[in-house]
Amino acid sequence: MRKSVLFIAMSLDGYLARRDGGVDWLSGQDPADPGIDFYSEFIGSADTVVIGWNTYRQITEELSPGQWPYEALTCYVITHRQLPSSDAIQFVQQSPCDLVRRLKRQPGNSIWICGGANIIQPLIRENLIDEYDISIIPTLLGSGIRLFGESDRELRLHLLRERSSNGITELLYSAD
């Protein structure tokens, strides 16, 4: 069975983005230091990415307009909109949990859970994330969109790796 991996960055105080969705703060402490490229190391292990509509819109309109950055992956965009799919981008009207359960039964490499919070939080509640690969950015936002929402249960994780580069600390956990 394939594993699902939440690969994401958050501020030191636990936010994915500013209140308006802005992620311009996603960098290390020294702009001149390229540091370790955690993303490039991770992406080779995945062949599928799951994102929500807001994340898809942000990628296509703000972060990478005119160029889809995940061409090597099959992308599933969870949305209520009825949009035409292509081989590379599938627009689906499934719940995040149903989609990930279905994808995990299919052959392939890791499933990258990319975001946003409305996709991630139900998967955490249903314990459908196998690994948490979280990069802590040396920034305190003070407010914004939280990575981890309220939960009525405890979820214990096992630390597999920790490393730092340019002030960013990457933590890799497996779900017990």
Side-chain angles (χ1 to χ4, degrees):
M1 182 177 288
R2 299 165 77 181
K3 68 180 173 181
S4 59
V5 180
L6 174 61
F7 179 84
I8 202 157
M10 71 176 191
S11 65
L12 182 59
D13 52 352
Y15 295 100
L16 289 173
R18 298 184 193 285
R19 287 181 197 258
D20 66 359
V23 293
D24 58 318
W25 52 273
L26 287 173
S27 62
Q29 61 195 15
D30 180 0
D33 179 359
I36 298 171
D37 186 354
F38 299 132
Y39 170 79
S40 292
E41 290 182 11
F42 163 76
I43 202 64
S45 67
D47 62 4
T48 303
V49 60
V50 173
I51 63 175
W53 173 258
N54 290 335
T55 302
Y56 173 78
R57 186 206 53 75
Q58 184 178 41
I59 292 167
T60 58
E61 294 177 12
E62 298 169 26
L63 302 176
S64 186
Q67 178 183 343
W68 182 242
Y70 309 128
E71 289 181 12
L73 307 174
T74 301
C75 180
Y76 291 86
V77 179
I78 299 172
T79 181
H80 296 291
R81 293 164 178 80
Q82 300 288 328
L83 299 168
S85 295
S86 67
D87 288 340
I89 303 172
Q90 301 288 313
F91 294 98
V92 297
Q93 290 77 40
Q94 282 184 285
S95 76
C97 296
D98 289 344
L99 175 62
V100 168
R101 281 186 190 101
R102 178 172 62 89
L103 292 173
K104 286 176 88 167
R105 290 189 301 265
Q106 297 175 356
N109 295 333
S110 295
I111 303 161
W112 173 22
I113 309 302
C114 180
N118 292 333
I119 303 303
I120 296 166
Q121 291 174 5
L123 294 171
I124 292 171
R125 282 193 298 273
E126 294 291 322
N127 198 23
L128 289 169
I129 297 176
D130 300 304
E131 289 184 356
Y132 293 76
D133 193 333
I134 300 174
S135 292
I136 310 298
I137 307 299
T139 300
L140 296 170
L141 288 178
S143 66
I145 301 169
R146 285 222 171 263
L147 172 56
F148 302 107
E150 295 286 324
S151 178
D152 59 356
R153 62 183 219 122
E154 182 177 297
L155 179 60
R156 306 223 11 120
L157 304 174
H158 179 79
L159 182 64
L160 300 175
R161 179 182 70 225
E162 60 181 296
R163 58 187 178 159
S164 295
S165 179
N166 194 17
I168 299 171
T169 299
E170 180 197 36
L171 302 168
L172 177 62
Y173 291 97
S174 66
D176 286 343

